[in-house]
């Protein structure tokens, strides 16, 4: 495998960012958060400051403080801390990438800029390359999430020849439903890359296509159950894997019918975990507690937890 | 199982409609077409007058003549002939449904009207019910293809309580990439329904989610190979299934890079099969032969056929 | 001007199709409808069997009967009866075009096929040409409505060189918000073409850009008021034109907040006019009467009608 | 009128951001740029660090330096310098708003955050309010550009009751084609608000609807001509206004056929003005010079400039 770092595999929780009730970052909750994931969910890798972490709503300075604390608290405990460093501004991304290297992150990930959208895969690769170049020793992941960014370039085209541009390239977080594109990425990838799938509600489809891991927000509170899905799948017990997948879907469908966005998701995690994650930041609005409670109840019914 | 008919499972070819060089329907090519599918592709079920068959570009009268000939030639040879009877006009759909019953079709399928789009799943179910009611003895399938119709209602919502409205309801052709919706349909379905998946390029994702069959245009010329994919999947040989899936994707990616639409697809089938399918009907334009030849060549390279 | 017919200018009402309570076409209501438009709204031209007329939900036979009756009742009374003959099937469109010529329609209009979408302006022009060719003596209009058809070809590209293909070409019904495309059509058009604008809520924008008429559903019940808008605009009294435009917008905003689709629109017309237009056809669902009444009330408040 | 500042009316150039060949901000070019707009284009107001200015690709620090220099150079010369301070992060926006107040900007404008999209007009208004609150003495403009942000909230809903939340509210930059929404904004606005339209290619449509100014990138190089359009419109000479509008459209259509994005636009401005604006920042790629030259030639042909 490559000279840089270890590979991300298995379940990776995309963490929420704890805020105080006044909306400031709350570093004190990060230690307990790491322990919760390890002890209650059996989740050993995290993806921080990403979409779930409201990374784009934070300042560069806040993202640095958060990344440092996640790395600090996860050290010697977790397998992988991947720090998302994508920004609209290349310069900001570079600053965060440099910092991630300094604090010993296990990997960095970059989303496509979405205000100005790269016109071609080459334009996007140039952007990614400029970010990766300032942290050449840190494993680099491209983060594909077209429904959010509005950037509909094929991931397969982004991967084409990318190691020549980014020697530290190590894989893909693919949060899209186009499994042909995902499959072609799998087919093209050398063994030392990680193909991480990001739509929790259809994970087994991606596992069938060859995913070797998953990054998602629901693994914050469903990690333990989805670990069983992955084991079942790996042991060839498809009916069991499917049963768990349908449970995940049931919970998400229930939530969607009530109106499910990142704010609700964050509140749900607070309710399920007991962690104090606080409100989201504007333009997201705080989810009313009864809604989160109702989803949490459904979750417990479906999982059969007392 | 239900009182009406046998279930559609396995591979179903969505057939092209043979036209003469002048653009008239060419019934004479249907017999050889049926034999080609059976003998060369091992495909024993067909879905006629659907999207691939340019059903929406044909008159009601033409669709009747074609449906009758497909049923006639497939009789005693094939397992299932499903006739697509969806139209923008409810009355036209009813006329075709009635006719399909008279000619002994094994099933009828109805797509959502797409010019006026049903505002809710209930509106769509009323439309489907009115069609099904005139052919109550014919197994009924709902055909979901949101990227073409622009109707983004969840299939799961369409299935809710549908047997009460349509006692002959027997399943779903799901041509979408939203595998959560598909999974929830699988989870909700009684055993006598068929869950047929319609995006050939990501079939194994849907098989993992519980599909019990597939309908697609590529099975006209890739049926033999995809039958092996399904066998491998059923035997738990996921690596083999995946290898074949990647071959299908490779061919489709190659075609898409050249510009791939139904007209190209039809011409490709003529080249691969030797059948004389003729031009498409306007607003589709005849595909230049070299383009179809080039894709056919890629297909043969990928499949390793001499 | 051209050898074929007279030009459509001014206000054109896109008529609803009267149905009986059982959903059959109701020819008996057409005579009173024509008189209502003339006498109560001062509208002297109609566009029949179009989007507002649920043309796509009718059978070919029904469309013929309706077109014949509209032409019959409007004869010697109205300036222009334009019959929409667009269908998904070229053959059906041709049959309707031929028939429109036989019954003495003042013009025919064709929408782009929307299930299979023409890939280029040339493909669309071939389709239009094949329809126009069977009724060469009838003034021909292209009907552009991208939000409904999903066909986003520029109208300006469709107009390019179209008279060479369709000698009877006489203009455009442009139902889109892209006023650059519309402006470029105006700029390209010879004087004997009509540029009819189809988004009633922003008509004065199109008048400023050079429209010489308007086709819309609201002119069924707001024709009298919008005739004043057009007069004011033509006399250079922009503040008055704007005041009326804002009234139209106010009514439509109010309706949209309640949920406004063609079914509601049709019911609203019944309430305002006293005509018995009946229900819409599936997949549209009958609008609850209180909703239509509420919009009608707002309309009367805004217009200051007793 | 309001206690805060003067109103923006007439033409406002959305300025490009000068960069050095190495991609650093180039403050030295700002003085000549201001003089060019005043002397060659007759444009007396500017909108800086907006979409055209690649504001979202700049760091907070860069945006401050640029804003300060634009204000400095435009002081005593121009009527209005509006500084765009919108960011994905509320905190960054607040920092820029505070700074804009300190440097004496004539106004600030805020775009909707577009990565996380406000779910309702209220959520967006809360975001805007939090920004405005830190610079209460600076006239505040909401910047609506749905095709770029993907935020499709009606501007009219954003305006509802906004002065109670933002006493410094002074108007709207509306860069959308929905003239009903724009018209309803005009209709709702008190006289001391400015309704600035942002789609240069269809300005006269918005003028008819009641716009009292325009902000756009093309006014950097077409300001002189479009000033004549506005004069003609105001004097009731619609044919002349329309002629100029068609010229603008012709140039833009020509550019679009060649592929027109912000990078091309910036290069075009360098060619036309002789200013040295440098490359765009990634993910935009430098436009090849021949393309910009070709568009500049067309521009000169259309305008009849020697």
């Amino acid at each position: 495998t490559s000279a840089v770092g270890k590979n991300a595999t298995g379940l990776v929780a995309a963490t929420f960012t704890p805020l105080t009730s006044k909306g400031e970052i709350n570093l004190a909750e990060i230690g307990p958060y790491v322990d919760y994931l390890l002890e209650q969910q059996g989740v050993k890798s995290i993806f921080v400051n990403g979409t779930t972490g409201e990374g784009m709503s934070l300042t560069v300075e806040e993202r640095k403080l958060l990344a440092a604390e996640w790395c600090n608290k996860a050290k010697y405990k977790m397998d992988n801390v991947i720090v998302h460093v994508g920004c609209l501004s290349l310069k900001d991304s570079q600053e965060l990438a440099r910092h991630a290297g300094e604090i010993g992150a296990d990997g960095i990930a970059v989303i496509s800029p979405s205000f100005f959208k790269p016109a071609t895969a080459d334009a996007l690769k140039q952007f990614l390359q400029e970010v990766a170049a300032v942290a050449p020793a840190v494993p680099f992941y491209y983060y594909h999430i077209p429904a959010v960014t509005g950037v509909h370039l094929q991931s397969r085209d982004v991967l084409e020849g990318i190691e020549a541009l980014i020697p530290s390239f190590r894989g893909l977080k693919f949060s899209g439903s186009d499994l042909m594109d995902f499959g072609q990425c799998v087919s093209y990838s050398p063994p030392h890359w990680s193909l991480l799938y990001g739509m929790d509600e259809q994970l087994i489809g991606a596992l069938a296509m060859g995913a070797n891991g998953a990054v998602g927000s629901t693994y914050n509170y469903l990690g333990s159950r989805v670990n069983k899905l992955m084991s079942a799948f790996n042991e060839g017990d498809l009916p069991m894997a499917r049963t768990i997948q349908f449970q995940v879907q049931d919970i998400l469908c229930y939530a969607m019918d009530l109106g499910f966005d990142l704010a609700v998701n964050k509140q749900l995690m607070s309710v399920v975990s007991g962690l104090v994650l606080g409100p989201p930041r504007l333009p997201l609005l705080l989810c009313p507690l009864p809604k989160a409670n109702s989803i949490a109840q459904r979750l417990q019914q479906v999982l059969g937890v007392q």
Side-chain angles (χ1 to χ4, degrees), chain A:
Chain A
T1 77
S2 156
V4 280
K6 56 195 180 257
N7 238 29
T9 55
L11 280 199
V12 182
T15 57
F16 298 94
T17 292
L19 297 184
T20 67
S21 60
K22 294 196 170 160
E24 299 299 318
I25 58 172
N26 182 2
L27 300 180
E29 203 69 9
I30 286 177
Y33 198 151
V34 166
D35 293 339
Y36 174 85
L37 290 176
L38 287 166
E39 293 161 19
Q40 304 297 316
Q41 299 294 344
V43 168
K44 297 179 188 160
S45 293
I46 51 178
F47 184 95
V48 309
N49 291 344
T51 304
T52 305
E54 297 176 83
M56 297 313 224
S57 297
L58 302 167
T59 67
V60 167
E61 190 56 28
E62 288 174 325
R63 287 171 73 166
K64 285 185 186 175
L65 292 169
L66 287 158
E69 187 65 6
W70 284 110
C71 285
N72 184 32
K73 291 300 192 236
K75 209 171 187 176
Y76 311 124
K77 291 181 171 179
M78 288 194 144
D79 290 342
N80 261 286
V81 179
I82 300 175
V83 178
H84 176 249
V85 301
C87 298
L88 296 186
S89 162
L90 173 59
K91 291 202 160 206
D92 287 340
S93 282
Q94 288 174 321
E95 187 172 338
L96 290 174
R98 222 177 273 117
H99 177 261
E102 290 162 13
I103 61 174
D106 300 302
I108 54 175
V110 177
I111 201 173
S112 172
S114 58
F115 188 86
F116 295 115
K117 294 172 174 57
T120 63
D122 276 340
L124 175 52
K125 280 191 271 194
Q126 284 189 35
F127 185 95
L128 301 178
Q129 181 184 18
E130 296 285 323
V131 180
V134 304
V138 188
F140 185 95
Y141 298 85
Y142 165 56
Y143 175 13
H144 174 74
I145 182 166
V148 171
T149 59
V151 175
H152 295 283
L153 300 168
Q154 298 284 298
S155 277
R156 174 62 184 79
D157 293 332
V158 177
L159 296 194
E160 182 70 34
I162 201 165
E163 266 187 333
L165 302 174
I166 304 176
S168 55
F169 191 81
R170 290 299 289 280
L172 180 67
K173 175 182 177 189
F174 188 100
S175 297
S177 62
D178 179 353
L179 291 182
M180 173 150 91
D181 186 22
F182 184 68
Q184 289 298 286
C185 291
V186 172
S187 172
Y188 178 76
S189 294
H192 63 282
W193 288 6
S194 288
L195 282 301
L196 306 170
Y197 193 66
M199 297 189 77
D200 312 2
E201 62 273 31
Q202 54 183 62
L203 174 58
I204 59 171
L207 292 175
M209 203 63 87
N212 42 19
V215 185
S217 63
T218 68
Y219 309 136
N220 283 291
Y221 42 82
L222 292 171
S224 167
R225 186 59 59 102
V226 179
N227 269 322
K228 286 179 188 146
L229 181 160
M230 294 189 76
S231 303
F233 190 91
N234 289 333
E235 292 157 11
D237 184 354
L238 203 51
M240 171 58 78
R242 206 180 278 147
T243 298
I244 299 173
Q245 182 72 87
F246 290 165
Q247 291 171 344
V248 173
Q249 291 178 352
D250 178 296
I251 295 159
L252 290 173
C253 283
Y254 182 85
M256 284 171 186
D257 282 350
L258 293 183
F260 191 61
D261 65 5
L262 182 55
V264 180
N265 205 352
K266 188 175 190 176
Q267 182 82 288
L268 175 62
M269 177 60 177
S270 290
V271 170
V272 172
S273 68
L275 295 164
V276 183
L277 300 179
R281 186 165 281 180
L282 282 168
L284 298 177
L285 297 180
L286 183 63
C287 161
L289 193 56
K291 187 194 273 196
N293 282 337
S294 169
I295 301 169
Q297 248 177 331
R298 177 72 167 217
L299 183 149
Q300 289 176 333
Q301 283 164 9
V302 169
L303 299 190
V305 180
Q306 283 72 32

